[in-house]
Amino acid sequence: MYLPAEKTKKLIPYQPIQGEYRVRLDANESFLLPTEEDRIAMASAAANVAFNRYPDPMAAGLCADFAELYGISPEYVTAGNGSDEIISIIYYALLEKGEKVLTLTPDFSMYAFYSSIAETECISLSKGEDMAVDVDLVLDTIKKEKIRMVIFSNPCNPTSLGLAADDVRRLITGTDALVVVDEAYMDFWDQSLIKEAHEYQNLVLLRTCSKALGLAALRVGFAVANKTLTRILKAAKSPYNVNAVSQEMARVVLKNPLYRTVYTEILITSRNMLIDGLRRLESQRLIEKVYESRTNFAFIKLQDSEEVFKFLFDNGIIVRNIGKNHLRITAGREEENKEVISAIAACLCKKRGVDCYEDRCLFAKNQGN
Ligand SMILES: *Cc1c(COP(=O)(O)O)cnc(C)c1O
């Protein structure tokens, strides 16, 4: 009788919240579609794909357009079926079974997930109350625990905080362990190491088209690393990992600088608006803390996170419940931001029996405030 492998026997499929909700602020997606002109160009690019042929296995054109947009050389770039796929390739191509991986929690849940399938040992270093990354402590832990790879997101999902480029450099040069820096949100901040990534012997940097560039549906991500690491990633990935339709459609968007300028500014403006609204709740002591965001989402601490989450859910607003009294809220359209802020205010004001001061409180009436 066949018995499934121990390591995957109890795994359950990744299940994001599904279904129709009025306001979706749970997945850190962009709320903007590519321009109509570009969507037409994307449709035409897709229509011209040689469907009977396999795609370019190295996605050379896609990598070249990505490299051009970010001002780097394409020889350091590997394309993946989302950066998620690249994370899994890193685990099985660059690590041996039983080797130790360090994660800094809370961080992107996929790091620990792939670790278990790759049969590496995942060690997690908990961040303190301020959620900051302590580079010295990370370096000490790497030494003490004989860590082979450290992986973290910068800026961080879910904490929304960023680690300055100089601190990341100090981490990379302070160890021989492989350092994987997931810059999924770096389009929203200016501390990227992408231009110098190839100069380090032990760095793999990850980028994605899923966040600022607004192409989550296409599943396109990239690794940037020196030639040796790039060769290994390209040799270890499955041959046709990025399908031809995604390659061609993403190229249309990567060729247009608008998304990294005007579009990204729109998302940052929305983020600032969301953060300002949440800070009002913080100053009223309705929520405990709003973390400084370098991303397109807000990370907040509040006593009543479960209750607020449920209240939002019941009102058709989906955010991410991170646990331990923290919520993560993606910046959305102006109306969506206003709605989530006033809903949180309404929920907490009612609970505390104080008047809801949010003048646009859409929920005050329903909730009998
Ligand atoms: C969203 C996210 C990704 C996802 O990347 P894909 O390219 O869509 O697979 C990777 N890392 C972090 C930290 C993210 O938040």
Side-chain angles (χ1 to χ4, degrees):
M1 183 182 142
Y2 168 73
L3 291 172
E6 279 300 319
K7 63 176 181 180
T8 45
K9 222 168 55 182
K10 295 205 179 103
L11 274 186
I12 44 166
Y14 181 66
Q15 274 170 338
I17 297 166
Q18 275 169 342
E20 289 291 312
Y21 298 96
R22 239 169 0 97
V23 180
R24 290 213 62 152
L25 304 175
D26 62 319
N28 294 346
E29 297 145 328
S30 168
F31 56 86
L32 297 166
L33 280 174
T35 64
E36 185 169 4
E37 208 181 345
D38 277 347
R39 278 184 282 135
I40 291 166
M42 289 163 83
S44 148
N48 284 311
V49 159
F51 289 101
N52 55 325
R53 303 291 178 193
Y54 284 103
D56 173 357
M58 295 305 154
L62 177 69
C63 290
D65 290 341
F66 170 80
E68 167 86 22
L69 182 65
Y70 288 90
I72 61 173
S73 165
E75 64 191 328
Y76 308 124
V77 179
T78 307
N81 189 4
S83 49
D84 239 300
E85 186 204 19
I86 301 179
I87 297 167
S88 78
I89 297 168
I90 289 170
Y91 271 97
Y92 68 71
L94 299 175
L95 295 170
E96 307 276 7
K97 181 175 164 177
E99 286 184 333
K100 290 182 177 177
V101 174
L102 182 66
T103 58
L104 317 175
T105 48
D107 205 338
F108 192 43
S109 58
M110 288 296 140
Y111 307 147
F113 166 79
Y114 288 119
S115 176
S116 67
I117 297 188
E119 294 182 86
T120 58
E121 187 184 340
C122 191
I123 295 189
S124 62
L125 186 61
S126 290
K127 294 171 187 171
E129 179 62 36
D130 62 358
M131 296 289 167
V133 172
D134 179 341
V135 171
D136 294 311
L137 184 59
V138 172
L139 287 171
D140 281 352
T141 308
I142 290 173
K143 221 184 261 168
K144 223 176 273 163
E145 298 279 352
K146 299 197 167 52
I147 298 292
R148 277 281 285 168
M149 177 175 105
V150 54
I151 181 167
F152 62 98
S153 53
N154 186 43
C156 176
N157 170 13
T159 70
S160 79
L161 300 176
L163 187 63
D166 267 340
D167 290 322
V168 182
R169 288 187 188 104
R170 197 156 64 80
L171 204 174
I172 299 165
T173 54
T175 177
D176 282 329
L178 180 68
V179 180
V180 180
V181 182
D182 182 349
E183 293 192 348
Y185 300 93
M186 195 53 94
D187 292 302
F188 303 111
W189 202 30
D190 61 1
Q191 297 291 302
S192 181
L193 261 54
I194 193 168
K195 292 206 164 125
E196 63 199 75
H198 64 281
E199 296 169 11
Y200 300 96
Q201 49 94 21
N202 59 334
L203 171 66
V204 178
L205 185 147
L206 302 175
R207 300 289 294 225
T208 180
C209 292
S210 302
K211 305 288 157 59
L213 298 181
L215 297 179
L218 295 187
R219 314 304 305 122
V220 175
F222 298 93
V224 186
N226 67 42
K227 279 191 195 167
T228 308
L229 291 171
T230 298
R231 185 182 46 74
I232 296 170
L233 292 176
K234 286 189 172 169
K237 73 179 188 61
S238 66
Y240 305 109
N241 58 329
V242 186
N243 74 74
V245 173
S246 286
Q247 288 189 34
E248 294 311 317
M249 286 191 161
R251 292 188 66 182
V252 172
V253 165
L254 290 171
K255 282 197 188 98
N256 187 346
L258 175 83
Y259 301 102
R260 284 201 68 221
T261 52
V262 179
Y263 266 46
T264 298
E265 280 306 319
I266 293 171
L267 298 176
I268 290 174
T269 302
S270 152
R271 186 273 315 277
N272 290 341
M273 175 197 179
L274 176 65
I275 295 284
D276 286 349
L278 292 167
R279 288 217 190 282
R280 284 202 305 278
L281 306 190
E282 185 187 30
S283 66
Q284 301 284 327
R285 299 184 194 278
L286 285 173
I287 61 181
E288 265 170 70
K289 189 172 165 80
V290 182
Y291 292 79
E292 183 176 22
S293 176
R294 307 293 194 182
T295 64
N296 66 332
F297 58 87
F299 187 59
I300 61 173
K301 181 170 188 202
L302 66 171
Q303 284 297 312
D304 322 272
S305 61
E306 297 288 340
E307 224 174 311
V308 170
F309 177 82
K310 183 158 186 315
F311 181 89
L312 295 176
F313 189 93
D314 291 344
N315 283 284
I317 304 170
I318 306 301
V319 301
R320 183 65 70 91
N321 189 356
I322 302 295
K324 294 188 183 159
N325 298 326
H326 288 94
L327 296 179
R328 191 193 73 190
I329 307 168
T330 308
R333 293 190 180 80
E334 190 170 338
E335 279 309 306
E336 295 176 321
N337 292 339
K338 284 181 179 162
E339 204 174 315
V340 74
I341 292 160
S342 53
I344 294 171
C347 177
L348 294 174
C349 289
K350 175 166 182 265
K351 187 169 169 184
R352 288 166 206 195
V354 294
D355 279 344
C356 192
Y357 61 87
E358 283 283 316
D359 45 331
R360 289 189 72 268
C361 187
L362 308 165
F363 299 87
K365 285 194 294 290
N366 314 343
Q367 299 305 316
N369 258 333

